[in-house]
Amino acid sequence: MKRRSIVTLSSSAIRCKKSDFMVVSVRQISNGGKRSKKKIYHRDYQLDKVMDLQKKPSLILQLRSIIQSQNHQRLLLRDLEKEVGFVAKWNFMSIIEKYPSIFRVGGGCGKEFPFVTLTGKAEKVAREEGEARNLMEPILVKNLRKLLMLSIDCRVPLEKVEFIGNELGLPHDFKKSLIFKYPEYFSIKVINGRAYLNLENWDSSLAVTAREEIFARERMLQSAGGQNKVRITKDGNYLGPFAFKMCYAAGFRPNKSYLEELEKWHKMEFPSPYLNARRFEVADPKTRKRVVAVLHELLSLTMEKRMISAKLDAFHSEYRLPSKLVLCLIKHHGIFYITNKGARSTVFLKEAYDGSNLVDKCPILMFNDKFVALSGRHVTL
C-alpha cells in the first residue's frame, strides 16, 4: 500500500514570538484514510531576524538604483509611484525623509517639480560600485560555470538563470557583459523553442564543492594542532571527507541514539554533486545524501547563501531535486533552515551565518554595506 506524504509549514507558528519552534504537519494518506503526524521544527531566531534586518537596506539600495537610472540621476517625486507602485511609494517616501544623509529633496519652487537625488557623499560612495562589479566578474563567471556543471546536461534554461539572477548577483545586462564576453565558457542555444545557457567546456578543477574546500581547510588546521582522533561531538559535528557542518537551533538537543545515527550518515560515502545524476538510483541512500550536497552547493553559489524556496524548487528537473523538497530540507535542519519571515519563505544555508551575520561577503555585498552605512545605522544585509 503506497502512502503519500504532504508537508505543511505553519507560517503562523513561525511568527509566534512565544514559541521556540513551529509545528510541521506531515499527513500520511493511504487508501484507509488520513493520519496526521506532527513534528517539531525548531526556530532559529537569528536567521528569522535576517529577514527583518534587510528590509530597510533593500529599500535604500533599490531607491539608489532607481535614481541612478534616471536622466541627470534625479527622480521626480511624482514619478516614484510609476517606478514602485502606489502602496510601496509610501515606504520609499519614508526612507527619503528618514535618511537625509543619503537622499536630498530639491525643486518645488516655481515651475520646477520636486525631485529626489543622492547627496554628495552618497554619490561619492556610489561611484565605487564599478570597482566592486569588476571584482565580482571573475566570481560570477566561476559560479555560473559551476551552476551549469551541476546540472544534468550542463545547461539550464536561460529564463531560470534570470529567475535567480539577484541571488547570484548577476548584473541586469549579464547576457552582454558575461555570456557573450566569454564565448569560451558559455553559449546560448535554442532547443525545442526554448533558450538555454549552455556550458562550452568542462573544467575538472571547478568540480570541487564548497563543503570539500571547507573540509580541506579544517583538516589542515587539525593536523597543525596535532589532533588525530576523530569522533562526533555533542553538537552533531564530525570531521570527515563526507561530513556536513551541523548548526542546530538552540532549542534542539540531540540524544545519544540520534548522534549515533548521525555519525553513520556523516561517514557514508556519496557521489559528487558534479557527477551526472542519471547514473544513480533515486532510492539509494547514497543518492539521497548526494541530493543534500547538491542543495548545499546551490546555496553556496548564491551571494547571501540563501534563496527563496520557490526559486530553489524551480530547478527540480535540472538537478534532480526530490519531489518532497521541503521534507528533505526539514529532515536536514542542522544544514538548512526555512523561514516564513518576509513575503515568501526562504531557505538558508545555516553554516554561512554567525548569528544574523553572513560570515563571508562578496565585493558587491561589501559595497552595499558601505552605502547603507551612510544612513548612520549599522545595518546587516
Side-chain angles (χ1 to χ4, degrees), residues 74 76-78 104-116:
R74 59 170 61 181
L76 294 177
L77 291 179
R78 68 178 186 181
R104 179 178 68 84
V105 177
C109 299
K111 295 182 179 180
E112 190 175 18
F113 292 106
F115 63 85
V116 60

Side-chain angles (χ1 to χ4, degrees), residues 66-89:
I66 293 172
I67 291 172
Q68 290 184 305
S69 68
Q70 306 297 310
N71 292 330
H72 309 297
Q73 297 199 356
R74 59 170 61 181
L75 173 68
L76 294 177
L77 291 179
R78 68 178 186 181
D79 294 334
L80 182 59
E81 185 175 326
K82 297 177 185 178
E83 295 286 344
V84 300
F86 176 76
V87 176
K89 174 183 73 173

Side-chain angles (χ1 to χ4, degrees), residues 55 97 141 155 164 234 250 280 297 376:
K55 289 179 181 178
E97 182 180 0
V141 170
R155 65 171 183 250
I164 61 169
K234 290 182 179 180
F280 313 113
E297 187 71 353

Side-chain angles (χ1 to χ4, degrees), residues 173-344:
D173 65 341
F174 78 94
K175 283 187 282 188
K176 178 182 177 181
S177 60
L178 291 178
I179 306 306
F180 298 144
K181 186 176 180 180
Y182 295 95
E184 67 273 28
Y185 299 142
F186 312 110
S187 66
I188 295 177
K189 295 182 179 179
V190 178
I191 302 173
N192 296 326
R194 193 179 193 185
Y196 284 81
L197 181 60
N198 188 71
L199 182 72
E200 282 300 301
N201 61 74
W202 181 274
D203 187 346
S204 297
S205 67
L206 295 180
V208 180
T209 65
R211 183 196 63 81
E212 290 170 321
E213 291 175 350
I214 292 171
F215 168 69
R217 290 197 298 268
E218 290 181 346
R219 185 171 58 178
M220 289 179 63
L221 290 173
Q222 187 189 54
S223 298
Q227 299 176 4
N228 296 318
K229 189 175 181 180
V230 178
R231 54 182 294 181
I232 194 165
T233 58
K234 290 182 179 180
D235 61 3
N237 282 297
Y238 176 86
L239 184 62
F242 301 102
F244 287 79
K245 173 71 174 177
M246 294 292 164
C247 305
Y248 290 111
F252 180 72
R253 296 288 185 271
N255 57 31
K256 183 178 179 181
S257 61
Y258 183 95
L259 290 175
E260 288 173 351
E261 289 300 315
L262 184 60
E263 183 171 0
K264 292 178 184 177
W265 187 81
H266 275 314
K267 291 179 177 179
M268 182 172 62
E269 299 180 6
F270 64 94
S272 169
Y274 287 98
L275 293 177
N276 196 311
R278 289 195 183 98
R279 297 167 55 180
F280 313 113
E281 292 293 331
V282 176
D284 189 331
K286 294 181 179 180
T287 303
R288 291 200 292 266
K289 187 175 180 182
R290 179 189 175 275
V291 168
V292 175
V294 170
L295 291 168
H296 186 286
E297 187 71 353
L298 282 174
L299 292 174
S300 295
L301 295 177
T302 63
M303 284 200 305
E304 297 176 294
K305 316 309 178 195
R306 67 177 191 251
M307 189 182 295
I308 294 171
S309 56
K311 293 188 176 185
L312 191 61
D313 198 48
F315 289 89
H316 269 287
S317 57
E318 287 76 23
Y319 301 108
R320 290 287 174 93
L321 300 181
S323 57
K324 302 168 186 174
L325 179 58
V326 175
L327 186 58
C328 176
L329 294 168
I330 291 172
K331 180 179 180 181
H332 299 285
H333 59 103
I335 304 171
F336 311 110
Y337 180 66
I338 309 173
T339 179
N340 277 1
K341 284 282 187 178
R344 290 163 290 185

